[in-house]
Amino acid sequence: MGQEPKANLRIDTIVGQHAAMLSERLQAHRAQLFPPNASKELRKFTSGEVADLLGVKDAYLRKLSLDSKGPEPEIRGNGRRYYSPDDIVALREYLEKGAKVPGTYMPGRRDGDHLQVISVINFKGGSGKTTTSAHLAQKMALDGYRVLAIDIDPQASFSALHGFQPEFDLLDGGTLYDAIRYDNPVPIRDVIQKTYFRNLDIIPGNLDLMEFEHDTPRALAQRDGNLFFTRVGDALADVEEDYDVVIVDCPPQLGFLTMSALSAATAVLVTVHPQMLDVMSMCQFLLMTSNLLGVVAEAGGDMSYDWLRYVVTRYEPGDGPQNQMVSFMRSMFGEHVLNHTMLKSTAISDAGLTKQTLWEIEKSQFTRSTYDRAIESISAVCGEIETLVQEAWGRTNGA
């Protein structure tokens, strides 16, 4: 019996049609959320939220307001005080002047501190890598650090969270690829864009980043003198003095771009979902990473880090198998596993439907307990990472 002939259907054609339809629908969705001439803006924060960010009492902020010290908050009909992102920066600057310990309210780099470059990685999609990267970058910006976020994932989810639709907004380039390409690279400043967050700049991503994976084998074959694993670090050197922290959202694969980002990194954060298949996948990722980065190190790459940590993501405390897996990881990796976890939360996933994080969305859209649990979890993880950054700068106990 002969083989049935294939249907007269070209997969490239139908996939292209689906991509065009989806892109058009996503653009319409964005236009509905944000009109064509509008851009994303960060909401104002309640005095209670600002007090938590600054580490002071709400009553103290009220007294400052009554004494006309610091920025004047917006007073709404319910008598609650709201502060803009600029107000939060102004409060930090005001409070820092009277701080007993330098850096209490302005915690960024001082003379002699090196730029912190945190590469966030995982081999498996769905590990919460982009969610973790975005919340960390935004929280550190809110906490007074000057942050540069770099999206080197061609899928560009991090960029989408910050208001970019790559196939519409980056038609003429504008990704990190332009700054690290082998022929005619542009200065990295040319691809850095401001965001609606004070202290947070971004280099968005799109499919152009795949070109680096294609170009590098040719450069290696031609024995190009420009080593691929130094290119991200070399580009960042031009803006090193402008930032305290760089956060790199890496793709879920270990290609040349990820290896270059790891070579530029001073710290590595590995996201892991505490399920057996995810941990097995991470095992293979770690084995491959060790082998490949060993080769890079032998070729002269800098593989020394200030710290490496695993962060448990999408964690459900009531899930027995997940608890066993977390205990398993802690028994093996000890202090390399962060003490705090990123909880799985409907608040995070619901915020993502409108391309927002928990720092952006109004908390009134959720039940208070749901929002509070999620934000406390994220704040604890970010706080632990900020402590590691401070320790890398030689500061302990806030000194």
Side-chain angles (χ1 to χ4, degrees):
M1 187 174 178
Q3 186 177 7
E4 291 291 330
K6 289 185 177 180
N8 186 23
L9 181 67
R10 285 190 53 165
I11 191 67
D12 59 328
T13 300
I14 192 167
V15 168
Q17 291 172 345
H18 288 175
M21 291 164 56
L22 181 58
S23 179
E24 183 179 352
R25 186 62 60 87
L26 289 172
Q27 178 69 351
H29 177 64
R30 183 174 72 162
Q32 184 179 12
L33 291 173
F34 310 106
N37 295 326
S39 58
K40 291 186 74 174
E41 291 184 0
L42 188 58
R43 65 179 174 88
K44 290 193 173 183
F45 292 79
T46 67
S47 59
E49 290 176 307
V50 175
D52 287 341
L53 286 170
L54 297 175
V56 300
K57 299 291 185 182
D58 191 4
Y60 179 59
L61 292 184
R62 180 182 295 276
K63 185 176 186 303
L64 287 180
S65 176
L66 292 173
D67 293 345
S68 298
K69 295 179 179 178
E72 283 298 318
E74 175 190 341
I75 310 295
R76 297 187 181 174
N78 55 11
R80 301 187 71 178
R81 289 159 294 128
Y82 287 80
Y83 292 85
S84 71
D86 287 343
D87 291 336
I88 297 173
V89 173
L91 274 171
R92 286 192 177 280
E93 293 172 346
Y94 175 81
L95 293 173
E96 181 67 21
K97 292 176 182 177
K100 295 180 180 178
V101 179
T104 300
Y105 302 100
M106 302 291 289
R109 294 165 67 192
R110 306 174 196 167
D111 290 343
D113 293 339
H114 60 281
L115 178 69
Q116 282 282 290
V117 182
I118 305 172
S119 288
V120 185
I121 62 173
N122 191 291
F123 191 57
K124 198 173 190 299
S127 68
K129 178 178 57 62
T130 296
T131 299
T132 302
S133 299
H135 282 91
L136 176 60
Q138 293 179 1
K139 180 60 162 61
M140 294 194 79
L142 287 170
D143 284 345
Y145 295 87
R146 300 170 301 162
V147 182
L148 172 64
I150 308 179
D151 190 352
I152 64 170
D153 186 345
Q155 297 177 77
S157 298
F158 188 101
S159 303
L161 269 176
H162 289 84
F164 294 90
Q165 188 169 345
E167 70 271 24
F168 283 97
D169 300 329
L170 301 173
L171 294 175
D172 298 319
T175 72
L176 183 66
Y177 172 68
D178 296 321
I180 63 172
R181 59 188 300 162
Y182 294 92
D183 59 320
N184 302 316
V186 304
I188 194 171
R189 293 183 193 279
D190 291 359
V191 295
I192 293 175
Q193 301 199 37
K194 295 290 182 184
T195 73
Y196 45 94
F197 265 80
R198 273 291 299 265
N199 294 329
L200 176 58
D201 295 345
I202 187 174
I203 300 178
N206 70 3
L207 291 173
D208 289 353
L209 291 162
M210 289 301 298
E211 294 300 316
F212 189 73
E213 305 296 336
H214 302 149
D215 294 347
T216 298
R218 288 195 291 268
L220 292 173
Q222 296 167 4
R223 300 185 182 278
D224 191 307
N226 297 309
L227 298 172
F228 77 88
F229 52 81
T230 66
R231 302 191 73 78
V232 172
D234 290 345
L236 285 175
D238 291 339
V239 293
E240 181 175 357
E241 297 306 315
D242 298 340
Y243 300 99
D244 303 313
V245 179
V246 176
I247 295 173
V248 187
D249 186 30
C250 296
Q253 64 189 50
L254 192 58
F256 295 114
L257 194 55
T258 301
M259 285 193 283
S260 186
L262 288 172
S263 185
T266 61
V268 175
L269 185 65
V270 184
T271 58
V272 55
H273 183 218
Q275 296 277 16
M276 178 57 76
L277 290 178
D278 293 78
V279 174
M280 290 173 63
S281 173
M282 185 182 74
C283 178
Q284 299 304 308
F285 171 72
L286 295 176
L287 287 169
M288 186 163 55
T289 301
S290 175
N291 292 334
L292 290 176
L293 294 186
V295 173
V296 171
E298 290 177 1
D302 184 3
M303 292 294 110
S304 59
Y305 298 123
D306 292 326
W307 51 268
L308 177 147
R309 291 294 186 275
Y310 301 93
V311 56
V312 175
T313 58
R314 298 172 57 213
Y315 176 55
E316 300 174 78
D319 187 314
Q322 284 199 17
N323 285 325
Q324 291 178 5
M325 191 56 63
V326 172
S327 297
F328 174 66
M329 291 178 57
R330 293 194 191 284
S331 68
M332 283 191 303
F333 302 141
E335 67 174 12
H336 291 290
V337 181
L338 290 182
N339 292 320
H340 297 93
T341 61
M342 294 273 285
L343 296 181
K344 182 177 181 179
S345 172
T346 55
I348 296 174
S349 54
D350 287 354
L353 291 175
T354 51
K355 299 180 183 177
Q356 296 183 95
T357 67
L358 290 189
W359 305 118
E360 302 173 76
I361 202 159
E362 294 285 351
K363 62 187 300 184
S364 59
Q365 297 188 30
F366 308 98
T367 59
R368 181 169 182 174
S369 59
T370 298
Y371 181 88
D372 287 348
R373 276 196 303 269
I375 206 74
E376 286 171 11
S377 164
I378 290 171
S379 296
V381 168
C382 293
E384 200 170 344
I385 293 169
E386 289 182 25
T387 296
L388 291 169
V389 168
Q390 292 290 318
E391 290 175 349
W393 288 333
R395 304 177 209 166
T396 57
N397 300 322

